[in-house]
């Protein structure tokens, strides 16, 4: 809708320019003509920049992410999960974890800082009274070094039947270019997250996350 309004404004703007340009020819003084044309040129530049800026804002506005169905056990791998969150979807457009937005302090084995994204399947389900994330849920931790430069990513994806003993989570770690460093059922990840009382999710209980949103 806003794009259509901008298009109409642009048409009206050029219509007025044409009228003003014809009006200049009716001015008899050459000096006055020069002044009017100079002012029209400045106005043309100004409004051209304004309209281009508005169009850029509209075109760059993030769009809502439509949730794709979760990857199945036959589909899941480190490569296919990276494809899902960077090509088929854009995890940068995912919601943040409720009440945990932006860059936050982190700890080993993740980065000194981190930012957490969750896909729409999980975001739309929160809070979850049963404390079990729905199939297809994805949690992405974007890890940063002490200088707040992205150092890698650690991802959890809920895949029904993949690993019932560990909540059916598929785990993957990537370098900052998306290269797979670890994937599947890494004992280190499972051992650490097994201390959770909420479906292997450590950050916050699923039945409390987003409860006040």
């Amino acid at each position: 809708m806003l794009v259509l309004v901008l298009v109409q404004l642009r048409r009206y703007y050029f219509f007025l320019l044409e009228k003003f340009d014809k009006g200049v020819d009716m001015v008899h003084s050459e000096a006055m003509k020069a002044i009017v044309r100079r002012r029209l040129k400045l106005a043309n530049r100004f409004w051209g920049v304004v309209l281009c800026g508005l169009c850029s804002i509209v075109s760059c506005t993030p769009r809502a992410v439509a949730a794709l169905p979760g990857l199945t056990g036959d589909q899941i791998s480190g490569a296919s999960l990276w494809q899902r969150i960077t090509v088929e979807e854009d995890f940068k457009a995912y919601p943040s974890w409720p009440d945990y937005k932006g860059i936050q302090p982190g700890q080993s084995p993740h980065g000194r800082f981190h930012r957490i994204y969750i896909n729409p399947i999980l975001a739309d389900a929160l809070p979850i009274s049963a404390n079990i994330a729905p199939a297809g849920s994805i949690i992405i931790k974007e890890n940063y070094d002490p200088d707040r430069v992205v150092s890698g990513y650690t991802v959890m994806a809920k895949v029904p039947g993949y690993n019932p003993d560990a909540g059916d989570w598929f785990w993957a770690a990537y370098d900052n270019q998306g290269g797979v460093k670890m994937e599947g059922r890494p004992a280190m990840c499972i051992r650490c997250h097994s201390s959770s009382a909420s479906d292997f999710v450590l950050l916050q209980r699923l039945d409390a996350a987003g409860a006040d949103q």
Side-chain angles (χ1 to χ4, degrees):
M1 181 63 183
L2 185 55
V3 174
L4 293 177
V5 172
L6 290 175
V7 170
Q8 292 301 322
L9 282 174
R10 184 174 181 273
R11 289 175 178 171
Y12 184 61
Y13 165 66
F14 283 111
F15 169 77
L16 290 178
L17 273 184
E18 183 181 358
K19 292 296 183 184
F20 278 123
D21 197 50
K22 289 180 179 178
V24 172
D25 293 332
M26 299 176 64
V27 178
H28 298 292
S29 168
E30 291 300 324
M32 184 59 68
K33 281 184 179 182
I35 292 173
V36 173
R37 287 189 185 280
R38 187 161 56 248
R39 290 180 177 177
L40 281 175
K41 185 178 292 186
L42 290 173
N44 183 30
R45 290 177 180 173
F46 173 76
W47 287 109
V49 169
V50 170
L51 288 173
C52 287
L54 289 173
C55 289
S56 297
I57 291 172
V58 171
S59 62
C60 293
T61 300
R63 291 170 171 77
V65 178
L68 294 174
L71 295 169
T72 66
D74 293 333
Q75 298 169 327
I76 194 69
S77 69
S80 65
L81 181 55
W82 185 255
Q83 171 88 3
R84 168 58 56 89
I85 64 176
T86 61
V87 178
E88 298 170 7
E89 296 180 340
D90 179 6
F91 76 85
K92 294 286 190 178
Y94 284 176
S96 298
W97 190 274
D99 301 322
Y100 201 80
K101 296 177 172 60
I103 297 176
Q104 302 288 338
Q107 61 185 7
S108 179
H110 305 287
R112 179 71 64 85
F113 300 96
H114 62 243
R115 183 195 299 264
I116 294 180
Y117 301 90
I118 57 177
N119 72 336
I121 291 176
L122 178 56
D124 292 344
L126 295 174
I128 304 170
S129 59
N131 264 318
I132 300 294
S137 295
I138 299 176
I139 303 173
I140 300 165
K141 183 173 284 188
E142 185 175 57
N143 302 307
Y144 298 81
D145 66 17
D147 295 322
R148 300 199 176 199
V149 175
V150 175
S151 58
Y153 305 88
T154 43
V155 184
M156 299 168 61
K158 189 84 162 183
V159 182
Y162 178 75
N163 186 12
D165 291 338
D168 280 335
W169 289 103
F170 174 92
W171 316 74
Y174 305 90
D175 62 26
N176 59 4
Q177 298 299 312
V180 180
K181 297 171 61 179
M182 183 170 55
E183 62 182 305
R185 306 174 179 86
M188 179 179 68
C189 299
I190 295 172
R191 182 169 57 252
C192 181
H193 282 256
S194 63
S195 62
S196 165
S198 187
D199 198 20
F200 290 80
V201 177
L202 290 173
L203 181 62
Q204 187 182 17
R205 288 180 60 90
L206 296 172
D207 58 356
D212 58 346
Q213 300 299 302

